Structure formats: structure tokens, C-alpha cells
Amino acid sequence: MKLSIRRFPLKTRMVLLLGLIALLQTGALGLFALHYLTSALEEQMGERALHVAKTIASIPQVIQSVETGDSTELQPLSLTLADKTQALFVVIGDRNGLRLAHPNPERLGFSMSDDDDDAVSPTLAYGLAQVTRAEGSLGLSMRARAPIYDAAGEQVIGLVSVGYLLDKVDLYISRYRLTMTMVILLAFAFSVLTAVWFASHFKKAIFGLEPEEIGRLFQERNATLQSVREGIIAINTRGEITTVNQAALSILDLPNEQNIIGKPVTDLLPNSRMPEVLTSDQAQFDQEIRVGDRVLIVNRVPLHQSGKVVGVVSSFRRKDELHQLGQKLSRIQQYADSLRSQAHEYSNKLHTIAGLIQIGANDKALAIIGQETRDHQALIHLLVEAVPDPVLAGCLLGKYNRARELGLVLEIDPDSQMRDLPEWIPREQLVSILGNLLDNAFEATLNHGGHGKPILLTMTDLGDDLIFEIEDRGPGIPDDQQALIFTKGFTSKARAGHGLGLHLVNSLLQQLNGTITIEPGDPEGSRFTVYIPKQQAVKPSPMTGAAND
């Protein structure tokens, strides 16, 4: 069975890895030290042998005996010199390389080239002193050869060879090898203890998790960050961005993640209050800020580790998401009201037509049917020609039926047109603006006793703006209230639940960079005129200081 190191816990892996590294390092250093020591001892031994050989070669007695070939005098002298210098041997040869002195008398008279011809020849031929490591007749040794010159010092008349056995080097190395082995074992034990301490500390720092668990949690964290619709930004103690999800990039119009990770948050968001939370260690919840043309709800929470603040996480979402949901529900409610109004109105008319037929007034019944058909056909024809957008046309048709149900008349200027409706304008916002203004006109007209009176709607898309003009038959708006009617909660009505429609209209127009004006109606009431530019306004970048988080 194949054994994988991943099967072991992180602590065990770290101990094994660090211990193995320490063992390899100390072992390699030990081998290098022993090799270096061996080389140094051999070199030292060779230099000593050379020094002894040169000293013997310069002794007058040796020079005289070599010149005369007196082996009888050289033989005991070489043994005495070898004993005094603690050399393995001292061998003396004549100019032909024949032994005149040797520890083994049986080898006297034989050529020294039997031991090392490469060293003998250069010494005799050129007078070169040499150190060699060779296997001789007495064993493996470090030997040195020095030439013997005549009394005048001009001619080589022989040579001296001094050797030291290398078994002494092995003896010295054995002693150091034992010491080095002890050092290696102590270093290994120390490394294991250090690895155990470090692994325990490291495991504590990562909350006892294994690397595979950390990797899985990291992937889950990234997937979670990218799946949530709220924007998330995190910074470290230096105020540098460490985490950001795609929702945050989209909401704040920031570049891609690779371009902002590691940058100070104040460089991208100059007015960010995240550094303030980093300093104060106080969380901030549900704070409303404006970023360009958007309103955000922001939370900022400090991150703690070992009782210290190590960063800040900020989450935020667009406030208008709730408004958009409300607008969609409002649209559905409008459609439901429209269907209910039509069902109620047609039910009444069907009962009327049925009654006329029962009493024999067929002509009257046909007249009502024809009138109803003509009115709706005219309205539908106008909407099809002037308002191709089905959402806007459906809203107007619903409001037309709602007006009839309330006993009012919604008149749409036959010269109106709204064909050039830009794609960037959200249809639910446009429907919410018109719907609230028309509902406000219906209520104002009814409260002023305006049953049967017309509410006028004019639309045009000529020029650079979309223009909607709604004129009611209400009591009008005093000059001192015109600046207040768009304030949230302000209403001139005694009943609760009012004061939100015009505030929502104004908020939506601000998002669309539009405006609204109020003028007196003709001959009574008020005229609301809405201007929405066709060209989308350029949004200020949060990188230039428009954002607060």
C-alpha cells in the first residue's frame, strides 16, 4: 500500500520534515568536516615529511656517505633519524635511485622506483622536492622526496624519501568522527524539539486546522463572498485592502480585484471611514451614505485576534433595492387594480345592457356597446401608435380604467408620443413616477369635488428630454407648500399613510437626473411637469472621492 505523508497530522509532518532536514544538513556538514579534516591532516603530514626529508638531505654526513655510496654508515643513521622524527621510514638512495638505506635491509641495493617511479625520476632528474600519497612496500603513506646535492650544491647525487603511515590519520579521524556523530545526534534532537514547539505554536495560530481544511475553508470563503449580493471589503492593520467581492466592485464601480488588492483603502475610497473603525475599535451598523448617485446602507465591524484589532470588514448594500422591490410590488398592485376596475366597470355595464335588452330597449343597448367599443378602441389605438413600450402603455391603460372607476376622466393628449424611450431608463421607475403622480391627481381632484372632471396627461419625446405633463382639477398647491410637498412624510391630508408618493417620485427623479416643476392649472388645480434627460449622466467615480466606504 502506498503511504502518503498527507495521512499524518500537520504536527507530525512538520516534526518529520524539520527533523529530516536537520539530519541531512548536519550529516552533510559532518561529512564535509571529516573530509576537510582528513585532507588537512594529510597535507600537514606531507609538509612535515617534506621538511624532514629536506633536513636530512642537507646533513653533511649524509651527503658524504651518499657520494661514497657508504650504505654501512647510512643504514643505522636512517633508522636513528626515523625514530627521532617518528617517521615510518627514512630511505636514502644514490644518483641512480638505488637504495643505500632502508628499514628493511633486504631491499638495500634495489631501485626506489619499485615504490613510486613518478616521484623518483623528477627528483633525480630535475632536483624537485615532491610530496605524494602512495602505496609503498611498507603500506599506504604520505611520503616526501628531497634531492641530495653534492658539497658544492650543484649536482644531484641522490635523494631522501621520508614517509608517514596514514593509519595515524585514520586514528585521528575516528576520534573526530565519534565527536561529529554526537554533534549530529544532538543537533537532530534539538531540531526535533524545536519542530515540536514550532508545530504546536503554528497549530495554535491556525486554530488547530490541517492544511487541507484551511484550503477547503478558503475555497468556501471565496465562494461565499462571491455568492452574496452585498458588497464586502476588508482591510488589514495598515489600511490595505485584503478582500473584496464582485458585488462590491460592481456597486462601487471599482476595477477588477487584482488591481486593488494590497492598495490602501483611502487611495480608492478617500472618504472611507474604515480606518476610523480600525482606530476606535467601535463597530458601525446601518449607516446611510451616498456614493455617486446611489444610496448605500453600510456596516463596519473590527476584526480581533488575541485581543487586538487586526482589520476591519465593511458590508454594504444598495438602499434602492428595497425601493425597487416596492416598485415592482406597486406595479403588480396597479395591474391588479386595473383588472379589478375593468372587471367592476364591465360588470356594471353588462348588467345595464342586459336590463335594456330585457325591457326591449335594444337600440340603447347597442349604443352603449358601440360607445364603449369606440372609447377603448380610440385609447388602444393611441397607445399603440404613441407608446410602443408595453410596460408604460399597460400602466396608462390601467390608470385610465382606474379613473373611470372613480368617476373621473383621464384624457391623454392625442398629439402625445413616447416612442424614443431610452433603454437605460428602468421601466419600473418610470411607471412608479407616472403612477404616483396620476394617483395624486386623482385624489386631489376627488377631494375638490371633481367627479366627472378630466385629468390631462401630455407626453412628448421630442428634443433631449422626455416630458410628462399631468394637470389635475384639485384645489392647487399654495406657494409656501410647493417646496415641502416632496419631503418624506409631508401631507396636507388629515388621514395617516400619506406623504410618501411625491417623496418617492422626487427620489426616483434624482436617480434619473430628472426634475419636476409645479404650476397652477388652467382654469384650476395644479400642473406637474416632469423632465427626464435621454442621455444617461456620467456617474462620478468613487476613486475620485465620491464614496464614503
Side-chain angles (χ1 to χ4, degrees), residues 166-184:
L166 289 178
D167 56 355
K168 292 185 178 180
V169 174
D170 293 335
L171 179 61
Y172 293 147
I173 294 301
S174 297
R175 297 175 185 173
Y176 285 107
R177 186 180 293 114
L178 179 60
T179 303
M180 191 63 64
T181 303
M182 295 298 297
V183 171
I184 291 175

Side-chain angles (χ1 to χ4, degrees), residues 199-219:
S200 300
H201 179 76
F202 186 75
K203 285 281 286 184
K204 182 179 179 182
I206 60 175
F207 304 101
L209 298 174
E210 296 294 323
E212 294 77 13
E213 294 175 327
I214 295 176
R216 186 176 64 254
L217 289 175
F218 180 76
Q219 293 178 339

Side-chain angles (χ1 to χ4, degrees), residues 347-545:
S347 177
N348 292 335
K349 291 183 178 180
L350 285 175
H351 288 309
T352 302
I353 293 171
L356 292 173
I357 293 175
Q358 288 177 358
I359 65 176
N362 295 336
D363 293 339
K364 295 287 185 180
L366 291 173
I368 292 176
I369 294 173
Q371 181 64 37
E372 185 66 25
T373 303
R374 284 193 299 272
D375 291 345
H376 275 79
Q377 286 298 324
L379 176 62
I380 292 174
H381 179 75
L382 173 62
L383 293 178
V384 169
E385 292 294 327
V387 188
D389 187 87
V391 176
L392 181 58
C395 173
L396 295 178
L397 181 60
K399 291 302 178 183
Y400 175 83
N401 292 322
R402 176 61 177 166
R404 295 188 61 176
E405 181 186 7
L406 296 173
L408 303 172
V409 178
L410 175 60
E411 292 185 0
I412 301 177
D413 189 338
D415 294 328
S416 295
Q417 70 173 27
M418 194 55 60
R419 298 188 182 95
D420 189 15
L421 194 59
E423 291 294 330
W424 69 268
I425 297 179
R427 299 304 187 261
E428 64 271 9
Q429 294 188 11
L430 188 60
V431 166
S432 182
I433 291 171
L434 286 180
N436 279 286
L437 288 176
L438 287 172
D439 288 340
N440 189 69
F442 294 163
E443 190 170 0
T445 302
L446 288 174
N447 291 339
H448 195 54
H451 288 278
K453 293 183 179 180
I455 289 88
L456 304 180
L457 171 62
T458 303
M459 302 176 293
T460 180
D461 57 3
L462 300 177
D464 297 329
D465 298 323
L466 304 178
I467 302 175
F468 298 89
E469 189 177 277
I470 299 170
E471 185 174 340
D472 61 42
R473 293 293 177 260
I477 301 174
D479 294 339
D480 60 342
Q481 293 185 4
Q482 289 188 8
L484 301 174
I485 61 173
F486 297 109
T487 304
K488 185 176 181 180
F490 177 83
T491 180
S492 59
K493 304 173 181 65
R495 291 177 297 167
H498 293 82
L500 299 177
L502 292 180
H503 168 72
L504 179 59
V505 168
N506 188 49
S507 298
L508 294 174
L509 285 175
Q510 288 180 0
Q511 295 181 28
L512 299 176
N513 202 31
T515 57
I516 184 171
T517 62
I518 306 173
E519 299 174 342
D522 184 20
E524 58 181 345
S526 301
R527 182 185 300 112
F528 290 80
T529 306
V530 172
Y531 301 88
I532 301 176
K534 294 181 181 179
Q535 296 296 327
Q536 187 175 10
V538 178
K539 299 179 181 179
S541 172
M543 298 180 67
T544 61

